[in-house]
Amino acid sequence: MANTLTDHVSARGLRAPRFSLRQREAIEAWLFVSPTVVGFMLFFLGPLVAVVYFSLTEWNLLTQQSTFVGVENYVDALSRNPDFWHVLRNSFVFALGLVPLNMSLALMLALALSRPFRGVVFFRTIFFAPVVTSAVAWAIVWKFLLQGEAGAVNQLLAMVGIDGPNWLREPDWAMVAVIVTRVIKMVGLNMILYIAALQAIPRDYEAAARLEGASSWQIFRMVIWPLLAPTTLVIFVITMIGSFKVFDHIYLMTGGGPENGTLVLAFYIYEQGFKFFNVGYASALAMIMFVIVLALTVVQMILRRRDMQ
Protein backbone atom coordinates (compact mmCIF):
# COMPACT_ATOMS: atom_id res chain seq x y z
CA MET A 1 0.00 0.00 0.00
CA ALA A 2 2.84 2.39 0.96
CA ASN A 3 4.72 1.56 -2.21
CA THR A 4 1.61 2.23 -4.33
CA LEU A 5 1.13 5.68 -2.77
CA THR A 6 4.81 6.55 -3.26
CA ASP A 7 4.63 5.47 -6.87
CA HIS A 8 1.50 7.59 -7.41
CA VAL A 9 3.12 10.72 -5.86
CA SER A 10 6.26 10.15 -7.88
CA ALA A 11 4.21 9.83 -11.03
CA ARG A 12 2.40 13.13 -10.31
CA GLY A 13 5.70 14.85 -9.47
CA LEU A 14 7.22 13.77 -12.76
CA ARG A 15 4.24 14.94 -14.83
CA ALA A 16 5.29 17.63 -17.29
CA PRO A 17 3.72 21.09 -16.65
CA ARG A 18 0.97 22.14 -19.03
CA PHE A 19 2.73 25.41 -19.94
CA SER A 20 6.40 26.22 -20.10
CA LEU A 21 7.88 29.04 -17.99
CA ARG A 22 7.99 31.34 -21.02
CA GLN A 23 4.35 30.62 -21.86
CA ARG A 24 3.26 31.27 -18.25
CA GLU A 25 5.12 34.59 -18.23
CA ALA A 26 3.48 35.55 -21.51
CA ILE A 27 0.02 34.69 -20.15
CA GLU A 28 0.64 36.69 -16.98
CA ALA A 29 1.85 39.65 -19.02
CA TRP A 30 -1.27 39.60 -21.20
CA LEU A 31 -3.48 39.35 -18.10
CA PHE A 32 -1.81 42.43 -16.65
CA VAL A 33 -2.14 44.54 -19.81
CA SER A 34 -5.55 43.20 -20.84
CA PRO A 35 -7.59 45.90 -18.96
CA THR A 36 -5.65 48.62 -20.77
CA VAL A 37 -5.97 46.86 -24.12
CA VAL A 38 -9.71 46.31 -23.66
CA GLY A 39 -10.19 49.93 -22.58
CA PHE A 40 -8.18 51.17 -25.57
CA MET A 41 -10.25 49.06 -27.96
CA LEU A 42 -13.60 50.05 -26.44
CA PHE A 43 -13.07 53.73 -25.69
CA PHE A 44 -10.55 54.89 -28.31
CA LEU A 45 -10.00 52.63 -31.29
CA GLY A 46 -13.63 51.56 -31.61
CA PRO A 47 -15.08 55.11 -31.47
CA LEU A 48 -12.33 56.34 -33.81
CA VAL A 49 -13.20 53.73 -36.44
CA ALA A 50 -16.89 54.54 -35.98
CA VAL A 51 -16.28 58.28 -36.49
CA VAL A 52 -14.27 57.58 -39.64
CA TYR A 53 -17.14 55.49 -41.01
CA PHE A 54 -19.83 57.99 -39.99
CA SER A 55 -17.87 60.80 -41.65
CA LEU A 56 -18.37 59.00 -44.97
CA THR A 57 -22.14 58.85 -44.56
CA GLU A 58 -25.06 61.24 -44.52
CA TRP A 59 -26.70 60.14 -41.28
CA ASN A 60 -29.54 62.07 -39.72
CA LEU A 61 -29.73 61.21 -36.03
CA LEU A 62 -33.41 62.18 -35.85
CA THR A 63 -34.66 60.04 -38.74
CA GLN A 64 -31.99 57.30 -38.29
CA GLN A 65 -31.47 57.27 -42.07
CA SER A 66 -27.92 56.69 -43.22
CA THR A 67 -26.55 56.94 -46.77
CA PHE A 68 -22.96 56.35 -47.84
CA VAL A 69 -21.71 59.52 -49.58
CA GLY A 70 -17.93 59.00 -49.60
CA VAL A 71 -15.89 62.19 -49.07
CA GLU A 72 -18.86 64.46 -49.78
CA ASN A 73 -18.96 65.74 -46.17
CA TYR A 74 -15.28 66.71 -46.33
CA VAL A 75 -15.74 68.51 -49.67
CA ASP A 76 -18.81 70.31 -48.33
CA ALA A 77 -16.94 71.51 -45.22
CA LEU A 78 -13.76 72.60 -46.98
CA SER A 79 -15.15 74.16 -50.17
CA ARG A 80 -18.85 74.95 -49.82
CA ASN A 81 -19.47 75.95 -46.23
CA PRO A 82 -18.16 79.45 -45.35
CA ASP A 83 -19.17 78.93 -41.73
CA PHE A 84 -16.49 76.24 -41.40
CA TRP A 85 -13.68 78.68 -42.22
CA HIS A 86 -15.16 81.28 -39.87
CA VAL A 87 -15.29 78.68 -37.08
CA LEU A 88 -11.77 77.46 -37.89
CA ARG A 89 -10.50 81.05 -37.73
CA ASN A 90 -12.10 81.46 -34.29
CA SER A 91 -10.40 78.25 -33.10
CA PHE A 92 -6.97 79.49 -34.22
CA VAL A 93 -7.61 82.91 -32.63
CA PHE A 94 -8.56 81.17 -29.39
CA ALA A 95 -5.47 78.93 -29.51
CA LEU A 96 -3.08 81.74 -30.48
CA GLY A 97 -4.44 83.86 -27.67
CA LEU A 98 -4.56 81.18 -25.02
CA VAL A 99 -1.38 79.15 -25.57
CA PRO A 100 1.27 81.94 -25.38
CA LEU A 101 -0.54 83.72 -22.54
CA ASN A 102 -0.98 80.51 -20.55
CA MET A 103 2.60 79.30 -21.02
CA SER A 104 4.29 82.63 -20.33
CA LEU A 105 2.20 83.25 -17.21
CA ALA A 106 2.80 79.68 -15.99
CA LEU A 107 6.56 80.06 -16.48
CA MET A 108 6.65 83.35 -14.56
CA LEU A 109 4.67 81.86 -11.68
CA ALA A 110 6.91 78.79 -11.63
CA LEU A 111 10.06 80.90 -11.52
CA ALA A 112 8.61 82.88 -8.62
CA LEU A 113 7.34 79.84 -6.70
CA SER A 114 10.03 77.22 -7.41
CA ARG A 115 12.28 78.39 -4.58
CA PRO A 116 11.34 77.74 -0.93
CA PHE A 117 10.13 80.75 1.05
CA ARG A 118 7.58 81.41 3.73
CA GLY A 119 4.07 80.86 2.36
CA VAL A 120 5.13 79.23 -0.94
CA VAL A 121 2.74 76.30 -0.42
CA PHE A 122 -0.14 78.73 0.14
CA PHE A 123 0.53 80.59 -3.10
CA ARG A 124 0.94 77.35 -5.09
CA THR A 125 -2.40 76.18 -3.73
CA ILE A 126 -4.09 79.46 -4.63
CA PHE A 127 -2.94 79.33 -8.25
CA PHE A 128 -3.64 75.59 -8.62
CA ALA A 129 -7.10 75.66 -7.03
CA PRO A 130 -8.93 76.75 -10.24
CA VAL A 131 -7.61 73.66 -12.04
CA VAL A 132 -9.57 71.34 -9.75
CA THR A 133 -12.59 73.62 -9.64
CA SER A 134 -15.64 72.48 -11.57
CA ALA A 135 -15.53 73.87 -15.10
CA VAL A 136 -19.27 74.45 -14.99
CA ALA A 137 -19.12 76.40 -11.74
CA TRP A 138 -16.10 78.36 -12.97
CA ALA A 139 -17.80 79.42 -16.20
CA ILE A 140 -21.08 80.35 -14.49
CA VAL A 141 -19.33 82.47 -11.84
CA TRP A 142 -17.29 84.34 -14.44
CA LYS A 143 -20.40 84.85 -16.54
CA PHE A 144 -21.95 86.76 -13.65
CA LEU A 145 -18.74 88.64 -12.89
CA LEU A 146 -18.49 89.84 -16.50
CA GLN A 147 -22.08 91.04 -16.87
CA GLY A 148 -22.25 94.62 -18.16
CA GLU A 149 -22.52 97.40 -15.59
CA ALA A 150 -23.83 95.02 -12.91
CA GLY A 151 -20.80 92.76 -13.13
CA ALA A 152 -18.16 92.88 -10.43
CA VAL A 153 -15.36 93.34 -12.97
CA ASN A 154 -16.87 96.51 -14.44
CA GLN A 155 -17.67 97.83 -10.98
CA LEU A 156 -14.02 97.44 -9.98
CA LEU A 157 -12.95 99.17 -13.19
CA ALA A 158 -15.42 101.99 -12.50
CA MET A 159 -13.71 102.60 -9.15
CA VAL A 160 -10.53 103.59 -11.02
CA GLY A 161 -12.41 105.58 -13.66
CA ILE A 162 -12.54 102.98 -16.43
CA ASP A 163 -15.82 102.33 -18.24
CA GLY A 164 -15.67 98.61 -18.97
CA PRO A 165 -17.42 97.04 -21.97
CA ASN A 166 -20.22 94.51 -21.89
CA TRP A 167 -17.66 91.72 -22.08
CA LEU A 168 -19.74 88.77 -23.23
CA ARG A 169 -22.19 90.69 -25.43
CA GLU A 170 -19.74 92.56 -27.67
CA PRO A 171 -18.04 90.51 -30.44
CA ASP A 172 -14.69 92.30 -30.04
CA TRP A 173 -14.50 91.56 -26.31
CA ALA A 174 -16.24 88.20 -25.94
CA MET A 175 -13.31 86.16 -27.27
CA VAL A 176 -10.87 88.11 -25.07
CA ALA A 177 -12.99 87.46 -21.99
CA VAL A 178 -13.28 83.75 -22.73
CA ILE A 179 -9.53 83.38 -23.35
CA VAL A 180 -8.53 85.23 -20.17
CA THR A 181 -10.92 83.30 -17.92
CA ARG A 182 -9.73 80.02 -19.46
CA VAL A 183 -6.10 80.98 -18.85
CA ILE A 184 -6.80 81.81 -15.21
CA LYS A 185 -8.45 78.43 -14.75
CA MET A 186 -5.74 76.27 -16.36
CA VAL A 187 -2.50 78.16 -15.71
CA GLY A 188 -1.96 76.34 -12.40
CA LEU A 189 -1.50 72.99 -14.18
CA ASN A 190 1.31 74.28 -16.39
CA MET A 191 2.80 76.10 -13.40
CA ILE A 192 3.16 72.81 -11.51
CA LEU A 193 4.80 71.14 -14.52
CA TYR A 194 7.30 74.00 -14.84
CA ILE A 195 8.03 73.94 -11.08
CA ALA A 196 8.80 70.23 -11.27
CA ALA A 197 11.14 70.82 -14.22
CA LEU A 198 12.89 73.75 -12.50
CA GLN A 199 13.48 71.77 -9.33
CA ALA A 200 15.04 68.96 -11.37
CA ILE A 201 17.76 71.29 -12.71
CA PRO A 202 20.96 70.90 -10.62
CA ARG A 203 21.83 74.05 -8.69
CA ASP A 204 25.47 73.53 -9.64
CA TYR A 205 24.78 74.86 -13.14
CA GLU A 206 23.45 78.16 -11.83
CA ALA A 207 26.25 78.45 -9.26
CA ALA A 208 28.89 77.86 -11.92
CA ALA A 209 27.30 80.47 -14.19
CA ARG A 210 27.28 83.03 -11.38
CA LEU A 211 30.95 82.36 -10.67
CA GLU A 212 31.58 83.20 -14.34
CA GLY A 213 29.82 86.54 -13.84
CA ALA A 214 26.56 85.74 -15.67
CA SER A 215 23.54 87.89 -14.86
CA SER A 216 20.18 86.42 -13.84
CA TRP A 217 18.79 86.98 -17.37
CA GLN A 218 21.84 85.30 -18.94
CA ILE A 219 21.48 82.33 -16.57
CA PHE A 220 17.82 81.96 -17.53
CA ARG A 221 18.43 82.37 -21.27
CA MET A 222 21.58 80.24 -21.57
CA VAL A 223 21.09 77.61 -18.83
CA ILE A 224 17.54 77.28 -17.54
CA TRP A 225 15.50 77.84 -20.70
CA PRO A 226 17.36 75.20 -22.82
CA LEU A 227 16.94 72.66 -20.01
CA LEU A 228 13.23 73.43 -19.89
CA ALA A 229 12.82 72.67 -23.61
CA PRO A 230 11.40 69.11 -23.20
CA THR A 231 8.92 70.30 -20.57
CA THR A 232 7.97 73.28 -22.72
CA LEU A 233 7.24 70.95 -25.63
CA VAL A 234 4.96 68.78 -23.48
CA ILE A 235 3.16 71.83 -22.08
CA PHE A 236 2.73 73.31 -25.55
CA VAL A 237 1.22 70.12 -26.95
CA ILE A 238 -1.14 69.68 -24.00
CA THR A 239 -2.26 73.30 -24.05
CA MET A 240 -2.68 73.41 -27.82
CA ILE A 241 -4.80 70.25 -27.86
CA GLY A 242 -6.86 71.57 -24.94
CA SER A 243 -7.47 74.88 -26.69
CA PHE A 244 -8.88 73.15 -29.77
CA LYS A 245 -11.05 70.87 -27.61
CA VAL A 246 -12.54 73.65 -25.50
CA PHE A 247 -16.30 73.23 -25.33
CA ASP A 248 -17.79 73.66 -21.85
CA HIS A 249 -16.31 77.12 -21.41
CA ILE A 250 -17.81 78.37 -24.68
CA TYR A 251 -21.12 76.61 -24.15
CA LEU A 252 -21.72 78.07 -20.69
CA MET A 253 -20.31 81.58 -21.09
CA THR A 254 -21.31 82.68 -24.60
CA GLY A 255 -23.03 79.78 -26.40
CA GLY A 256 -20.87 80.61 -29.42
CA GLY A 257 -22.08 84.23 -29.61
CA PRO A 258 -22.35 87.08 -29.94
CA GLU A 259 -22.74 86.96 -33.74
CA ASN A 260 -20.79 83.64 -33.74
CA GLY A 261 -17.77 85.55 -32.47
CA THR A 262 -16.76 82.75 -30.08
CA LEU A 263 -18.07 79.82 -32.10
CA VAL A 264 -15.08 77.44 -32.14
CA LEU A 265 -14.70 74.13 -33.94
CA ALA A 266 -15.51 71.81 -31.01
CA PHE A 267 -18.73 73.68 -30.24
CA TYR A 268 -19.63 73.78 -33.95
CA ILE A 269 -19.22 69.99 -34.11
CA TYR A 270 -21.58 69.65 -31.15
CA GLU A 271 -24.15 71.87 -32.84
CA GLN A 272 -24.04 69.92 -36.11
CA GLY A 273 -24.28 66.55 -34.36
CA PHE A 274 -26.71 67.13 -31.51
CA LYS A 275 -28.59 70.30 -32.42
CA PHE A 276 -29.07 69.79 -36.17
CA PHE A 277 -28.64 65.95 -35.97
CA ASN A 278 -26.17 65.83 -38.89
CA VAL A 279 -23.99 63.09 -37.40
CA GLY A 280 -22.16 62.32 -40.65
CA TYR A 281 -21.18 65.95 -41.21
CA ALA A 282 -20.21 66.40 -37.55
CA SER A 283 -18.00 63.30 -37.78
CA ALA A 284 -16.24 64.73 -40.82
CA LEU A 285 -15.60 67.98 -38.94
CA ALA A 286 -14.24 65.98 -36.00
CA MET A 287 -11.80 64.15 -38.28
CA ILE A 288 -10.66 67.48 -39.77
CA MET A 289 -10.02 68.81 -36.26
CA PHE A 290 -8.10 65.62 -35.42
CA VAL A 291 -5.87 66.07 -38.46
CA ILE A 292 -5.24 69.78 -37.67
CA VAL A 293 -4.23 69.06 -34.07
CA LEU A 294 -2.07 66.11 -35.15
CA ALA A 295 -0.31 68.23 -37.79
CA LEU A 296 0.36 71.08 -35.35
CA THR A 297 1.77 68.64 -32.81
CA VAL A 298 4.08 66.95 -35.32
CA VAL A 299 5.36 70.28 -36.66
CA GLN A 300 6.02 71.57 -33.15
CA MET A 301 7.87 68.37 -32.18
CA ILE A 302 10.06 68.59 -35.30
CA LEU A 303 10.91 72.25 -34.64
CA ARG A 304 11.68 71.66 -30.97
CA ARG A 305 13.85 68.63 -31.75
CA ARG A 306 15.79 70.73 -34.27
CA ASP A 307 16.32 73.45 -31.63
CA MET A 308 17.48 70.91 -29.03
CA GLN A 309 20.01 69.45 -31.49
Side-chain angles (χ1 to χ4, degrees):
M1 182 65 182
N3 292 335
T4 305
L5 180 60
T6 304
D7 295 341
H8 179 68
V9 172
S10 300
R12 290 190 61 182
L14 295 174
R15 184 181 299 171
R18 181 173 299 178
F19 300 104
S20 66
L21 177 61
R22 188 171 183 177
Q23 288 174 328
R24 289 201 301 272
E25 290 178 346
I27 293 173
E28 291 173 359
W30 277 109
L31 288 176
F32 275 116
V33 301
S34 58
T36 302
V37 173
V38 172
F40 176 80
M41 299 286 287
L42 288 177
F43 301 112
F44 180 77
L45 188 59
L48 179 62
V49 172
V51 170
V52 172
Y53 171 74
F54 292 150
S55 69
L56 303 176
T57 66
E58 184 178 349
W59 180 27
N60 189 301
L61 188 63
L62 195 62
T63 61
Q64 293 293 317
Q65 293 180 348
S66 177
T67 306
F68 187 81
V69 295
V71 295
E72 188 68 20
N73 288 326
Y74 294 93
V75 174
D76 187 27
L78 297 173
S79 63
R80 300 171 190 161
N81 185 4
D83 290 341
F84 169 77
W85 294 105
H86 174 76
V87 168
L88 191 61
R89 171 185 167 277
N90 285 346
S91 295
F92 274 101
V93 169
F94 185 85
L96 293 176
L98 183 139
V99 175
L101 184 60
N102 189 323
M103 294 182 64
S104 57
L105 185 59
L107 180 57
M108 287 189 289
L109 289 173
L111 290 171
L113 300 176
S114 60
R115 304 293 177 87
F117 63 88
R118 190 179 182 86
V120 64
V121 176
F122 171 78
F123 287 108
R124 289 179 185 175
T125 305
I126 290 295
F127 288 111
F128 188 75
V131 177
V132 295
T133 303
S134 166
V136 175
W138 182 265
I140 292 175
V141 168
W142 273 104
K143 186 176 181 179
F144 281 104
L145 294 176
L146 293 171
Q147 283 184 345
E149 296 180 356
V153 173
N154 278 352
Q155 290 182 3
L156 290 175
L157 292 176
M159 293 173 65
V160 295
I162 299 176
D163 187 15
N166 194 342
W167 298 95
L168 301 179
R169 298 297 179 86
E170 297 183 15
D172 294 336
W173 288 104
M175 182 62 83
V176 176
V178 172
I179 290 173
V180 171
T181 53
R182 184 72 177 180
V183 168
I184 297 173
K185 184 179 188 326
M186 300 305 298
V187 71
L189 178 62
N190 291 344
M191 178 195 71
I192 292 297
L193 295 176
Y194 267 131
I195 287 176
L198 286 170
Q199 291 180 341
I201 298 175
R203 296 299 179 195
D204 296 344
Y205 295 169
E206 182 178 346
R210 290 198 182 280
L211 286 176
E212 295 293 331
S215 63
S216 297
W217 169 247
Q218 289 174 325
I219 293 173
F220 173 77
R221 188 169 59 88
M222 304 299 294
V223 178
I224 296 177
W225 179 246
L227 294 176
L228 289 178
T231 304
T232 302
L233 174 60
V234 172
I235 291 176
F236 176 85
V237 172
I238 293 174
T239 311
M240 176 65 76
I241 293 174
S243 66
F244 270 88
K245 291 168 56 181
V246 65
F247 168 78
D248 48 2
H249 217 68
I250 300 293
Y251 179 79
L252 293 166
M253 291 191 68
T254 64
E259 301 176 7
N260 293 334
T262 60
L263 185 61
V264 295
L265 190 53
F267 189 74
Y268 187 61
I269 293 172
Y270 160 78
E271 283 193 331
Q272 292 296 322
F274 299 100
K275 186 176 181 180
F276 306 120
F277 305 111
N278 296 324
V279 176
Y281 188 63
S283 300
L285 295 174
M287 289 306 303
I288 293 173
M289 185 174 76
F290 173 76
V291 171
I292 292 173
V293 174
L294 181 63
L296 290 174
T297 303
V298 171
V299 170
Q300 179 64 15
M301 292 179 67
I302 293 174
L303 293 177
R304 293 304 304 174
R305 182 176 298 176
R306 187 177 301 173
D307 289 343
M308 293 170 65
Q309 290 175 350

